[in-house]
Amino acid sequence: MIPTREQALELLKQYNQEESHIHHALAVEAAMRHFAELYHEDPDLWGIVGILHDIDWEKTTSTPQQHCHLAPEMLKKAGVDDSIIHAVQSHGFGICTDVEPSNNLERTLFTIDELTGLIITAGLVRPSKSLADLELKSVKKKWKDKAFARGVSRETIKQGAERMNMPLDDVINETIIALRPVEKLIGM
């Protein structure tokens, strides 16, 4: 089964209660929907994957190496389609899983999961505390500062952009564009 957006959110909230995790899922959903349209793919499916990608996060925060390993059981229990389960597992490739991203949806999720965090953090430190006036050059400047958003793996984002066969600057810029309309929804 491919859940509806409402079912996906309900399932996510069954396992995750922290507002920051819900906001992250909604940010990834927005970016996934945006990239789906760029690829002429199904934005509803891509958005659902974005919502569900960290379903096991709160269950694995003390054992991060287990992230993406509990998700299959959670999703299977809900009857979620195997293609979504594979996509969810693939976003941890090289970090906590050996499930390699194998299609546009999975490669995009792998890339923008980390990138959304960097962009949102870059927006929050602006005087406007908004993405409305955030530009690529500002994100690139923050990218170079290793102390800024220290937990965000620039290497993962860079590898992801290469897997997407898209210049890094384009991936960053498109993600900024994707997040602007939902900044209030994601807690900005």
Side-chain angles (χ1 to χ4, degrees):
M1 160 197 70
I2 297 181
T4 64
R5 182 179 189 275
E6 292 73 27
Q7 290 169 328
L9 277 170
E10 186 177 310
L11 186 57
L12 175 70
K13 290 176 182 180
Q14 183 179 333
Y15 295 102
N16 293 268
Q17 283 76 49
E18 289 187 31
E19 191 174 45
S20 63
H21 297 150
I22 306 303
H23 287 163
H24 172 67
L26 295 173
V28 174
E29 174 199 18
M32 290 296 290
R33 291 181 68 81
H34 179 81
F35 279 96
E37 290 178 11
L38 292 178
Y39 282 115
H40 306 288
E41 302 253 2
D42 181 356
D44 293 330
L45 172 63
W46 285 43
I48 288 163
V49 170
I51 290 170
L52 294 174
H53 81 283
D54 275 346
I55 192 165
D56 68 1
W57 182 253
E58 286 186 22
K59 300 289 184 203
T60 61
T61 52
S62 62
T63 54
Q65 69 278 11
Q66 288 298 308
H67 181 46
C68 299
H69 293 277
L70 300 181
E73 181 181 326
M74 295 169 169
L75 295 169
K76 283 180 185 175
K77 183 178 174 184
V80 174
D81 191 80
D82 285 342
S83 65
I84 293 174
I85 294 170
H86 190 274
V88 165
Q89 288 183 291
S90 75
H91 91 276
F93 179 67
I95 302 164
C96 55
T97 75
D98 60 357
V99 179
E100 190 166 357
S102 61
N103 57 41
N104 287 338
L105 181 154
E106 294 174 357
R107 289 186 284 268
T108 302
L109 179 62
F110 175 82
T111 308
I112 59 98
D113 178 34
E114 292 282 316
L115 182 56
T116 56
L118 180 71
I119 290 171
I120 291 166
T121 305
L124 287 171
V125 299
R126 298 186 66 72
S128 65
K129 301 216 181 308
S130 174
L131 300 174
D133 59 351
L134 181 67
E135 299 294 332
L136 173 64
K137 66 182 178 182
S138 297
V139 175
K140 294 290 290 222
K141 184 176 180 182
K142 296 295 186 190
W143 177 283
K144 294 175 186 173
D145 180 356
K146 302 297 182 207
F148 181 81
R150 184 171 294 150
V152 173
S153 171
R154 277 84 162 152
E155 188 57 33
T156 297
I157 298 167
K158 192 172 139 193
Q159 288 175 10
E162 290 169 6
R163 286 177 176 277
M164 290 172 70
N165 200 26
M166 187 180 283
L168 178 61
D169 286 0
D170 291 352
V171 174
I172 294 170
N173 198 52
E174 291 296 335
T175 305
I176 294 169
I177 292 166
L179 294 176
R180 282 181 180 151
V182 298
E183 70 177 1
K184 298 285 187 255
L185 184 65
I186 61 176
M188 294 191 70

